[in-house]
């Protein structure tokens, strides 16, 4: 081989060597060749109480990742991950430390989210508007009931037209329809026939009638001894009060009794009582009542008294009135089996005016009685003492106009009466079937 050929081969060899080194160097500096897509490789990580910044730095150096961490990224983490992509691993490590992760064009950001970023934007929910009209129930009561149901939007009501305006989801509107169908059902009614009797107590009945001796069928229950009180909300000078004030009055409940039985049972007992003392019928009211609603019967009148009101130096006179006599308040509750639960509040009130100041003497009690349809309930033991003038003297001579002053006299005598209340509820059968109008 001559010298020229040798030099040519040597030159070609040098070109090949340098070309290979340049190509290898180009591959090392090309990011596309150096950094593989992070979702093409599955990795396993086991960190125990490791600094979170060190964990991210190790991944960055191992897989040539561009990771950017804010200064507030700190703390230790413990996790075990198996078969996750790099993308999922980075997101999970950030979540474990309480931080946010974002991949933006090959740069991996680890940071703490601001309050605005954490704010959840509510997803709009489609609602519908619907108008209901009630037949029986008050719309204010409906509004109070629906306000207690969680998840419902507030409703608007119009009392004059008994209208309810709903703006809510279709699911909630169906709930409201179901509730309204229950609240606005045809109310149950009951005819209450009452009889108020007044029994004059004789010397053998100082503490009232011995009802247990008269009622032999065991339908009577006794209960305690109560005292007359002034009703809450009133004091003798007409001011508003919230506490009842005791009055040294003449009314008491002596051996208060209550019970229920057939009308014939109680009628026999009353007839037996008439043979021993005077029994007067005070009133026989009949009233139609609705389930759960109060009815009030008053046998008596009203006592007026003057009231002076001064506002900015100007005094005005007015007259206020207080109910007197026998007052009976009844609230019936009717079940599906034809039973009637009665809340009964009987009371006796009298008013005297002294120096333009009313003094009220009241005796009242509250009790619950359960009766079947057309069964009579019985309340007694309410005793009232009243003063009456009685003329005593020699017959005939005491009645003469002139001689009556010599042969007769007039005395004030205290007479005790016991109030007896008989109540017979009769359920009214309704054939009407209505539902809320839409």
């Amino acid at each position: 081989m001559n010298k020229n050929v040798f030099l040519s081969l040597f030159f070609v060899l040098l070109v090949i060597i340098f070309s290979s080194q340049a190509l290898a160097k180009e591959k090392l500096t090309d990011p596309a060749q150096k950094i593989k897509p992070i979702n093409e490789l599955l990795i396993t990580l086991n960190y125990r109480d490791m600094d979170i910044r060190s964990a991210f730095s190790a991944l960055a150096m191992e897989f040539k990742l561009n990771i950017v961490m804010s200064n507030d990224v700190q703390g230790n983490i413990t996790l075990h991950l198996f078969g996750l992509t790099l993308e999922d691993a980075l997101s999970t490590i950030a979540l474990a430390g309480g931080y946010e992760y974002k991949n933006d064009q090959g740069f991996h950001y680890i940071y703490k989210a601001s309050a605005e970023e954490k704010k959840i934007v509510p997803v709009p929910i489609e609602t519908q508007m619907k108008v209901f009209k009630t037949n029986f129930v008050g719309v204010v009561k409906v509004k109070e009931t629906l306000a207690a149901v969680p998840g419902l939007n507030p409703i608007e009501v119009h009392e004059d037209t008994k209208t309810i305006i709903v703006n809510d989801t279709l699911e909630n509107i169906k709930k409201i329809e179901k509730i309204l169908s229950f609240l606005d059902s045809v109310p149950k009614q009951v005819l209450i026939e009452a009889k108020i009797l007044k029994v004059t107590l004789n010397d053998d009945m100082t503490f009232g009638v011995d009802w247990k001796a008269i009622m032999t069928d065991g339908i009577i229950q006794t209960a305690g001894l109560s005292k007359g009180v002034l009703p809450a909300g009133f004091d003798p000078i007409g001011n508003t009060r919230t506490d009842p004030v005791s009055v040294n009055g003449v009314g008491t409940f002596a051996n208060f009794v209550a019970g229920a039985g057939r009308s014939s049972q109680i009628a026999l007992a009353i007839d037996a009582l008439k043979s021993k003392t005077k029994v007067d019928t005070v009133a026989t009211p009949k009233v139609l009542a609705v389930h759960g609603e109060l009815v009030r019967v008053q046998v008596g009148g009203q006592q007026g008294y003057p009231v002076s009101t001064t506002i900015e130096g100007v005094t005005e006179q007015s007259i206020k009135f207080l109910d007197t006599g026998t007052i009976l308040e009844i609230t019936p509750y009717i079940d599906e089996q034809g039973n009637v639960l009665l809340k009964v509040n009987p009371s006796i009130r009298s008013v005297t005016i002294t120096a333009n100041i009313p003094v009220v003497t009241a005796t009242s009690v509250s009790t619950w009685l359960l009766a079947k349809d057309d069964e009579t309930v019985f309340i007694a033991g309410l005793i009232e003492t009243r003063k009456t003038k009685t003329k005593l003297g020699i017959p005939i001579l005491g009645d003469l106009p002139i001689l009556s002053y010599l042969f007769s006299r007039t005395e004030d005598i205290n007479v005790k009466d016991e109030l007896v209340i008989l109540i017979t509820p009769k359920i009214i059968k309704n054939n009407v079937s209505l539902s809320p109008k839409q």
Side-chain angles (χ1 to χ4, degrees):
M1 183 179 296
N2 58 33
K3 185 178 180 180
N4 292 332
V5 173
F6 177 78
L7 291 175
S8 297
L9 291 174
F10 180 73
F11 178 78
V12 171
L13 181 61
L14 290 176
V15 170
I16 293 172
I17 292 173
F18 282 110
S19 297
S20 299
Q21 291 179 348
L23 182 60
K25 185 177 181 180
E26 182 180 357
K27 289 182 180 180
L28 290 175
T29 57
D30 185 4
Q33 298 293 329
K34 179 177 63 177
I35 303 175
K36 294 182 179 181
I38 62 175
N39 284 326
E40 292 183 2
L41 181 64
L42 300 181
I43 64 172
T44 296
L45 298 176
N46 289 284
Y47 293 155
R48 182 182 297 275
D49 199 25
M50 184 176 184
D51 179 73
I52 190 172
R53 299 183 70 88
S54 299
F56 280 119
S57 297
L59 290 175
M61 299 301 294
E62 176 69 21
F63 297 102
K64 305 297 186 292
L65 301 177
N66 298 317
I67 294 180
V68 181
M69 291 181 283
S70 61
N71 292 331
D72 53 7
V73 175
Q74 55 186 341
N76 294 345
I77 58 170
T78 297
L79 51 82
H80 304 280
L81 305 178
F82 300 93
L84 264 68
T85 63
L86 271 174
E87 181 83 19
D88 291 339
L90 293 172
S91 176
T92 303
I93 294 172
L95 180 64
Y99 301 100
E100 300 293 325
Y101 166 77
K102 182 173 65 174
N103 184 355
D104 188 5
Q105 298 181 359
F107 287 89
H108 307 280
Y109 295 94
I110 314 297
Y111 61 98
K112 189 173 184 178
S114 64
E116 289 297 325
E117 290 176 313
K118 289 183 178 180
K119 186 182 295 184
I120 300 175
V121 179
V123 179
I125 300 176
E126 184 178 355
T127 60
Q128 298 181 12
M129 188 181 74
K130 202 160 190 177
V131 179
F132 297 91
K133 291 192 70 175
T134 61
N135 296 301
F136 307 105
V137 69
V139 291
V140 174
K141 183 177 180 180
V142 173
K143 185 174 183 179
E144 293 175 354
T145 303
L146 294 180
V149 179
L152 299 183
N153 289 341
I155 67 170
E156 297 296 330
V157 299
H158 188 256
E159 290 190 62
D160 294 340
T161 59
K162 302 189 74 173
T163 302
I164 302 169
I165 302 172
V166 178
N167 188 12
D168 215 322
T169 63
L170 181 60
E171 181 181 358
N172 284 347
I173 288 176
K174 291 181 179 179
K175 291 181 181 178
I176 293 173
E177 288 178 347
K178 188 174 182 179
I179 295 172
L180 280 177
S181 65
F182 174 78
L183 294 177
D184 199 39
S185 58
V186 180
K188 297 177 182 178
Q189 297 182 90
V190 58
L191 177 65
I192 297 176
E193 297 182 354
K195 180 178 288 188
I196 302 174
L197 307 175
K198 186 172 290 187
V199 180
T200 302
L201 302 180
N202 53 36
D203 295 337
D204 297 330
M205 303 175 180
T206 305
F207 298 103
V209 178
D210 186 1
W211 292 103
K212 277 195 171 182
I214 297 176
M215 297 288 191
T216 57
D217 295 322
I219 62 173
I220 297 300
Q221 298 176 348
T222 62
L225 175 67
S226 61
K227 183 178 181 182
V229 296
L230 187 67
F234 174 82
D235 69 9
I237 60 174
N239 294 326
T240 300
R241 298 183 62 95
T242 57
D243 56 320
V245 180
S246 295
V247 176
N248 295 323
V250 294
T252 58
F253 276 105
N255 297 323
F256 166 69
V257 296
R262 296 190 304 273
S263 300
S264 57
Q265 292 176 294
I266 298 176
L268 289 174
I270 298 298
D271 289 340
L273 184 61
K274 288 180 180 179
S275 64
K276 298 180 180 181
T277 186
K278 183 181 179 182
V279 179
D280 295 324
T281 300
V282 178
T284 56
K286 292 183 180 180
V287 61
L288 193 62
V290 174
H291 169 85
E293 298 294 334
L294 174 70
V295 293
R296 190 172 190 267
V297 176
Q298 179 182 354
V299 180
Q302 289 186 320
Q303 176 67 57
Y305 63 96
V307 176
S308 298
T309 305
T310 301
I311 301 176
E312 297 181 354
V314 179
T315 302
E316 294 184 356
Q317 294 282 344
S318 61
I319 301 296
K320 288 190 175 181
F321 294 90
L322 295 173
D323 292 334
T324 61
T326 302
I327 300 171
L328 179 61
E329 295 179 341
I330 304 174
T331 306
Y333 298 90
I334 310 164
D335 66 12
E336 299 297 333
Q337 287 72 41
N339 300 312
V340 183
L341 181 63
L342 298 168
K343 182 180 180 182
V344 186
N345 300 90
S347 62
I348 297 176
R349 288 188 188 180
S350 61
V351 180
T352 57
I353 307 297
T354 304
N356 292 333
I357 297 177
V359 178
V360 178
T361 301
T363 304
S364 61
V365 74
S366 178
T367 186
W368 293 84
L369 296 170
L370 181 63
K372 297 180 179 179
D373 185 17
D374 205 19
E375 186 180 48
T376 300
V377 293
F378 173 94
I379 302 174
L382 182 58
I383 296 178
E384 179 185 25
T385 302
R386 54 186 173 87
K387 290 184 178 181
T388 182
K389 293 185 180 293
T390 301
K391 188 176 181 181
L392 303 175
I394 300 174
I396 301 175
L397 293 178
D399 297 330
L400 296 176
I402 298 176
L403 298 178
S404 61
Y405 293 100
L406 298 175
F407 299 100
S408 67
R409 70 182 188 276
T410 301
E411 291 184 355
D412 291 332
I413 298 177
N414 289 331
V415 178
K416 288 186 176 181
D417 297 320
E418 180 172 343
L419 193 68
V420 180
I421 301 172
L422 308 178
I423 302 172
T424 304
K426 297 181 179 181
I427 299 175
I428 304 298
K429 309 300 181 183
N430 288 319
N431 296 319
V432 183
S433 179
L434 296 175
S435 59
K437 298 178 182 178
Q438 303 178 12

